[in-house]
Amino acid sequence: MLNLKQLKLILLDMDGVLHRGGEILPGAAELTSVLDRLGLGYACLTNNSSQLPATFASHLQQLGIAISVEHVITSSTATATLLRTRYQQGTRLLAIGMDGIQASLFADGYFVPAESDVAAVVVGVDFNLTYARLKTATLALRAGAAFIATNSDRTFPAPEGLIPGAGAIVAALAAASDCTPEVIGKPEPAMFEAALHLFGVTPEQTLMVGDRLDTDIAGAQQVGIATAFVGSGVHSMQQAQAWQPEIDLVADDLAGILAQLAAGRE
């Protein structure tokens, strides 16, 4: 049984937990004040590799959710965190992706952007992708570079509808290179392990709050992180109650989860 008093870090999905499109969800406005009062750290996780953490933080703040940039972890920042544990400063990388991945990998000069003789090809969503870029990445993979994908989401939600996501680009490169990628984003363990590393906590000290069973809940359970499900997003309460392994906390929305945390810690 989950001991709420041993928790130190709360991880939260954003869309479906904190907001739904431009609508703030119950509990989100009070989130940071409640967690501060309970002595809990927190971070928001997103598979979206296209934007900087500051962009996501700004969007949340505009909705009335007081999340600062250091509390946002994207699949790009998680990828950069992981790669820094593997490669020394000055390592050459080829990155396919937008501002989020380019800044996470190269802004501070730790890694060097390159087109050939690279240690790894890192792939995120790129709305301006060209055939020439795919060709360069394919040749690098066939020359022995590691294949790292920020996430495997096949589609990306746009105003016009669902468009190709990072997973579609990853699939094209996998087909062309005969290489299998290592995926960082949810539900893969690396995303969660990066968050644990950044905040210096163990799985037993962490709770993941999500609305998607196949990414948020399944991914956290793989690495031994306790789980909390909210019925304000993709999956239903009925689906959550039937999920195995059993989810630790279940509520209609984030407000319900915060109430359970408060009751268990105060």
Side-chain angles (χ1 to χ4, degrees), residues 1-248:
M1 184 175 179
L2 173 62
N3 179 1
L4 296 178
K5 292 186 177 180
Q6 75 180 358
L7 294 177
K8 292 186 176 181
L9 177 67
I10 307 299
L11 301 176
L12 304 111
D13 183 46
M14 289 192 277
D15 194 356
V17 176
L18 300 180
H19 63 89
R20 188 166 47 229
E23 173 193 3
I24 189 170
L25 293 172
E30 303 78 34
L31 172 68
T32 56
S33 60
V34 171
L35 294 184
D36 287 344
R37 187 182 80 244
L38 297 176
L40 289 166
Y42 51 90
C44 297
L45 304 184
T46 176
N47 271 0
N48 190 336
S49 66
S50 67
Q51 300 178 33
L52 299 168
T55 304
F56 289 106
S58 176
H59 176 61
L60 293 174
Q61 291 162 13
Q62 290 170 10
L63 292 175
I65 307 169
I67 300 290
S68 55
V69 62
E70 61 268 22
H71 292 281
V72 177
I73 301 173
T74 71
S75 60
S76 290
T77 57
T79 298
T81 297
L82 178 69
L83 293 181
R84 285 162 199 255
T85 68
R86 297 183 181 176
Y87 299 113
Q88 64 184 8
Q89 187 168 354
T91 296
R92 293 161 59 90
L93 301 177
L94 191 162
I96 289 178
M98 299 159 67
D99 288 348
I101 192 167
Q102 299 295 336
S104 296
L105 291 176
F106 304 124
D108 66 354
Y110 186 93
F111 292 118
V112 176
E115 300 293 303
S116 61
D117 190 26
V118 297
V121 174
V122 186
V123 183
V125 70
D126 188 343
F127 298 155
N128 298 304
L129 181 66
T130 64
Y131 181 87
R133 196 74 175 141
L134 283 174
K135 174 182 174 181
T136 300
T138 298
L139 292 173
L141 290 170
R142 286 193 170 274
F147 189 3
I148 309 293
T150 59
N151 67 88
S152 58
D153 297 5
R154 293 174 297 170
T155 58
F156 190 98
E160 310 93 319
L162 293 177
I163 62 176
I169 300 172
V170 169
L173 285 172
S177 67
D178 292 322
C179 295
T180 300
E182 176 183 359
V183 181
I184 307 303
K186 298 177 292 183
E188 301 303 323
M191 181 79 163
F192 299 93
E193 291 166 354
L196 299 180
H197 175 77
L198 283 170
F199 285 87
V201 298
T202 66
E204 295 75 20
Q205 297 170 322
T206 308
L207 176 73
M208 176 71 206
V209 184
D211 67 304
R212 289 190 65 113
L213 297 169
D214 54 346
T215 56
D216 304 323
I217 302 303
Q221 289 179 334
Q222 282 189 74
V223 293
I225 293 174
T227 53
F229 173 85
V230 294
S232 52
V234 172
H235 290 118
S236 69
M237 292 290 288
Q238 183 178 14
Q239 289 172 308
Q241 289 162 351
W243 182 262
Q244 292 296 325
E246 186 176 347
I247 300 168
D248 297 283

